[in-house]
Amino acid sequence: MKPTAIYHDGQSYQLLRYGKPYFIKGAGGVSYLEELKARGGNSVRIWDDLEAGPILDKAQSLGLTVLFGIWVEREMEGFDYHNQVAVDQQYALIRKIVLKYRNHPALLMWCVGNEWAMEADNFRVYDEVNRIASLIHELDPDHPVTTVISPDNARAIWLVRKRCPAIDVLAFNSYALTEKLSQFLQDGGWTKPYLISEYGAQAYWETPMTPWQDPIEPTSQQKYEYVHRIYRQYIGSRPPNCLGSYLFYWDFKQEETHTWFNVYDQEGRSTSLADLMQYFWTGKQPPNQAPTMQRLLVDGRPILYQSYSSASGLHRAQVLTTDPEGDSLTYHWEIKRRAKNSADYVGTPLPALEGLITSSTGPSITFRLPTKPGSYRLFAHAYDTHRHVATANFVFEVTAKQ
């Protein structure tokens, strides 16, 4: 009996794990796997083979499976699929990876690339993805092969269908487009199984922008409500041919901000998204839940952004927060400059600016503006006594004196 197989009952597809139905209740990330298991998750997604051995071993010890990402170079980052020498080098490397890990008991399926079709003008990349998928089938007939694209148009889906017949499952980093997946699948003619490889908080390329083109980040409560709706309607309802999903991001990372996608903060405190997934994965609420941050007020108003003259004086900020169990709450505030589309955009969180907040431990503070013109965010964090966190931030710019 195969470790992982795809079964078609004449009407729809289903994933099988050692012959038993297996709906993916997963998340992307390499940390907090014990919590993922404890909250009812069953699978983890990784994007490449870095540290794959320890992650697979850890997953196996916990009874989790791994969607194993094999990195495929992307045209939008300069890789040339007309360069056959480079293409063959990538192919040879992938062959070694598959041979090394194909028999690991935690392996669920292989994933060839991540969003490689984005800005891809050379159709050879589709042919190469198919060649890699065919290689994997030859080396490992016991695990299906998927590939990840963004479902922002039916063309990419149609091209995968036409040029990548070796792909068993089509995976999507869909976010807000999760609502439109059924239409995209229909328009692209994809009738085989699919899974959602990334979804979560409404992404920074999807939210409203300030007049100076900074994305407005939802509060942790707004993220909770958004993911609740998306999961319940488009994943938990078990649409035909949907094999499951992976929440992004079951860890901590800087991407636009250090709070946007994360289920955990830098100290390992969990947001309400962890509570929500436990509810969806097990049908039960956790005994203690994260605080709820309803809104952030600046100078008494629920504004989402503001442009200030550098001559502005002191300002006041306040968060309205409650806790489901009435736990006492503590607070932390910080001001950071906005990350640029460069080395600090994704990676290490930016340091907080010093000397701008008079007191940063209560639900309300006064703060002064940075003197240097630019774009900034004021972050509010609320902590309960059970290692939970709620967040909100206010984006503002400081302009030069007139």
Side-chain angles (χ1 to χ4, degrees), residues 89-105:
Q89 287 175 341
Q90 175 176 259
Y91 184 86
L93 176 61
I94 289 172
R95 188 176 192 279
K96 291 179 180 178
I97 294 170
V98 175
L99 287 173
K100 184 176 180 179
Y101 295 109
R102 61 183 176 177
N103 294 320
H104 199 286

Side-chain angles (χ1 to χ4, degrees), residues 234-302:
Y234 304 105
I235 301 171
S237 60
R238 307 285 180 98
N241 299 335
C242 178
L243 304 185
S245 63
Y246 292 87
L247 179 75
F248 187 85
Y249 181 60
W250 197 267
D251 208 331
F252 171 84
K253 70 178 299 192
Q254 160 74 34
E255 186 168 346
E256 178 60 44
T257 72
H258 62 304
T259 57
W260 202 296
F261 293 112
N262 305 331
V263 175
Y264 295 88
D265 71 4
Q266 259 178 307
E267 304 301 323
R269 305 178 189 92
S270 61
T271 70
S272 57
L273 284 182
D275 300 338
L276 178 62
M277 300 324 298
Q278 180 170 336
Y279 171 70
F280 279 131
W281 290 338
T282 68
K284 299 178 181 178
Q285 296 282 5
N288 189 280
Q289 299 178 54
T292 300
M293 192 173 284
Q294 287 96 350
R295 62 174 58 185
L296 192 161
L297 306 176
V298 177
D299 295 327
R301 298 182 297 149

